[in-house]
Amino acid sequence: MEDMKDIQWFPGHMAKTRRMITKSLPLVDAVAELLDARLPLSSRNPEFDRLTRRKPRLVILNKADMADPQLTQQWVEYYQKRGAVVITADSKSGKGVKNFAPALRRLLAPQLAQYAAKGMKGRPIRVMILGIPNVGKSSLINRLAGGKRAKAEDRAGVTRTQQWIKIDGGVELLDTPGVLWPKLDDQEVACRLAFTGAVRDEILDLEGLAAKLLAFLHSNYPQMLEARYRIAPDAEGNGFALLEMLAKNRGMLLSGGIPNTERAAIALMDEYRAAKLGRITLEKPSSVPQTGTNDGENSENPNGAH
Ligand code: G4P
């Protein structure tokens, strides 16, 4: 797997990705948009709707094993209301992946009925998987394909010949996923992506990031902070103060008893990313802005259904 540090989203790369999608779109019946269930809004590509036009859309909330189950359910309903068929998956263990083909058949029921009426009953459904780096595209394709796929390829745009992989349920997958760029121009979005490790750490202020994450957890998942770091739910102070508490409670001290906030930040980020604190979701459907910043999600219905 290549990760974010190998993919720099210069306009050239974006243009290449756009071309790949535009070229592949006429070949597929549907697009499968892979989102991170921990951040189902920020892990969307800002141009997804425009890029895929009105292709029927299957939304896969991946990494559901790491996300808050209650909020995942709310996000399923959120995207269903916008015309998508939605499934949740853990592509690492394979949980939920078996729902992929049946969900596609549900999504494409009208088209399948038309094919059947024309006597094209055995026609395969063709689909392309799209998502930002690290969201689990290769893992999902490998799970769906079993041993039928050679090597995971993950780069901006596509350079080699694309092939179709037959999976169960009469579905054929484009073997190379479309790697889309994340929405990095919004600071809050970039921060949430960084929490999950989707943005490389070298370019980040890790202590600042950890302080922000702690402040979020303190407001939204206080019991988890208490259980793991003995930070009381009624503890007062900003994110940095919480980071100092964490350092002290973990015995991470510099000479003179000064809390080693750098070590504490590294520990927190590692443990959060490994889901050691529990199942956490960083975004709620109820806090989605109603207009403007949501890329037309509220105004546009991806499948034209009402
Ligand atoms: P990509 O093609 O979209 O870039 O993502 P990829 O499949 O390479 O997955 C990125 C990382 O996320 C991998 O972890 C992968 O195992 C993990 N992952 C993918 N889907 C899921 C999921 O549903 N749940 C969980 N918990 N993890 C998932 P890695 O650290 O790079 O490798 P490794 O941990 O597999 O060794």
Side-chain angles (χ1 to χ4, degrees), residues 16-204:
K16 209 166 156 190
T17 303
R18 279 193 198 97
R19 272 201 302 280
M20 173 261 177
I21 293 171
T22 311
K23 214 170 103 210
S24 304
L25 217 51
L27 308 176
V28 298
D29 300 294
V31 289
E33 183 185 22
L34 204 53
L35 301 179
D36 188 324
R38 297 169 298 172
L39 55 177
L41 207 60
S42 295
S43 56
R44 293 203 69 201
N45 167 269
E47 289 184 26
F48 189 87
D49 290 338
R50 194 141 35 100
L51 282 171
T52 59
R53 301 195 201 101
R54 296 204 161 259
K55 276 283 163 186
R57 172 158 64 124
L58 174 68
V59 169
I60 302 149
L61 294 173
N62 194 44
K63 306 200 183 187
D65 54 307
M66 301 169 99
D68 182 332
Q70 230 177 330
L71 286 176
T72 298
Q73 188 46 40
Q74 290 181 22
W75 281 111
V76 166
E77 287 159 19
Y78 175 91
Y79 282 114
Q80 278 172 343
K81 273 194 200 126
R82 282 153 183 81
V85 167
V86 189
I87 61 170
T88 62
D90 166 2
S91 297
K92 197 162 174 166
S93 77
K95 194 164 173 237
V97 170
K98 66 175 188 319
N99 299 323
F100 182 84
L104 273 174
R105 301 196 77 83
R106 215 160 59 239
L107 175 69
L108 295 170
Q111 289 90 329
L112 290 170
Q114 275 181 4
Y115 295 148
K118 289 183 196 157
M120 298 159 67
K121 226 173 176 153
R123 187 189 178 284
I125 294 173
R126 291 189 148 177
V127 63
M128 164 167 58
I129 290 180
L130 297 163
I132 65 169
N134 247 332
V135 72
K137 298 177 296 300
S138 303
S139 307
L140 176 67
I141 294 176
N142 287 332
R143 279 276 164 198
L144 288 167
K148 289 176 226 155
R149 185 172 183 242
K151 198 181 155 289
E153 192 96 359
D154 190 2
R155 52 174 97 141
V158 174
T159 50
R160 69 192 172 92
T161 319
Q162 296 187 333
Q163 288 170 359
W164 298 96
I165 311 168
K166 280 194 176 64
I167 63 166
D168 293 341
V171 174
E172 291 186 6
L173 281 184
L174 204 55
D175 71 341
T176 315
V179 186
L180 299 169
W181 61 97
K183 190 158 68 179
L184 292 173
D185 49 350
D186 178 326
Q187 270 302 308
E188 287 300 312
V189 169
C191 217
R192 279 180 233 141
L193 286 163
F195 289 161
T196 65
V199 179
R200 63 175 163 152
D201 285 340
E202 301 101 90
I203 57 167
L204 300 165

